[in-house]
């Protein structure tokens, strides 16, 4: 049985990003930081807004500030905690590109579905890799690989330089 019941923590249907924007997926990994950096560089050159999207679940969300042992936070508190963490992780990159307008889309839903929906009208979807190649990558599935196959906009997959 899942720890996230549908009634207590409903999946959120994300809104598509504004037409012509650049959507970047961000899960907190090094690959996501590389993708964010590339997306901001492109957005600055093309004078486009950026939407930073993060799909989350209770197991991947940071603890809300109000969390204490024995207290189960509301769905909105988890969403706020994800948004706050996302903004904090993006801030150092955003400061290097002050002219780029950035918005955030934390979504309580599966990553592939969320990214495809959010990027539907986007100019481009930018994703990083986690470096799981070969057999492990095939067995675990790949968000970037699924987005390349199913997204309605061009997808740029940024490989880590390290």
């Amino acid at each position: 049985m899942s720890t996230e019941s549908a009634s207590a923590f409903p999946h959120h249907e994300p809104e598509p990003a504004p037409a012509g924007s650049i959507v970047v997926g961000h899960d907190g990994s090094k690959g996501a930081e590389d993708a964010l950096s590339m997306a901001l560089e492109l957005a600055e050159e093309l004078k486009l807004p950026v939407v930073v999207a993060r799909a989350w679940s209770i197991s991947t969300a940071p603890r809300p500030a109000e969390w204490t042992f024995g207290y189960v936070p509301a769905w909105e508190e988890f969403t706020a905690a994800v948004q706050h963490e996302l903004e904090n992780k993006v801030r150092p990159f955003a400061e290097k590109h002050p002219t780029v307008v950035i918005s955030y889309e934390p979504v309580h839903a599966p990553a592939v579905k969320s990214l495809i929906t959010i990027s539907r009208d986007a100019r481009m979807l930018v994703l990083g890799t986690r470096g799981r190649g070969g057999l492990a990558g095939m067995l675990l599935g790949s968000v970037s690989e699924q987005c390349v196959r199913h997204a309605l906009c061009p997808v740029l997959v940024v490989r880590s330089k390290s």
Side-chain angles (χ1 to χ4, degrees):
M1 185 171 154
S2 172
T3 58
E4 297 181 42
S5 78
S7 61
F9 295 104
H11 284 277
H12 172 71
E13 190 63 35
E15 292 293 321
S21 60
I22 295 177
V23 175
V24 60
H26 197 289
D27 63 2
S29 67
K30 170 71 169 101
E33 290 179 350
D34 293 339
L36 175 63
S37 182
M38 176 64 71
L40 291 170
E41 286 176 29
L42 289 169
E44 189 169 55
E45 289 178 26
L46 299 171
K47 298 182 181 7
L48 296 174
V50 169
V51 176
V52 182
R54 177 172 174 198
W56 63 274
S57 67
I58 298 303
S59 62
T60 63
R63 289 184 179 155
E66 301 79 15
W67 183 89
T68 60
F69 184 76
Y71 170 69
V72 179
W75 177 78
E76 293 81 9
E77 292 175 60
F78 275 106
T79 300
V82 172
Q83 171 106 12
H84 180 72
E85 180 180 83
L86 191 55
E87 289 173 0
N88 283 340
K89 289 187 179 235
V90 169
R91 187 173 294 115
F93 296 90
E95 288 172 351
K96 296 175 186 173
H97 305 277
T99 62
V100 177
V101 175
I102 302 172
S103 59
Y104 301 89
E105 185 68 37
V107 182
H108 181 250
V112 172
K113 180 182 177 189
S114 300
L115 291 167
I116 290 171
T117 300
I118 293 167
S119 67
R120 182 176 64 208
D121 300 325
R123 174 86 176 261
M124 178 185 302
L125 172 60
V126 182
L127 302 168
T129 61
R130 287 188 160 197
R132 289 187 184 123
L135 183 60
M138 289 189 316
L139 292 174
L140 295 171
S142 168
V143 170
S144 57
E145 190 263 333
Q146 289 297 311
C147 287
V148 165
R149 290 179 182 268
H150 302 289
L152 299 174
C153 67
V155 179
L156 172 62
V157 179
V158 180
R159 297 218 175 262
S160 293
K161 295 173 185 163
S162 51

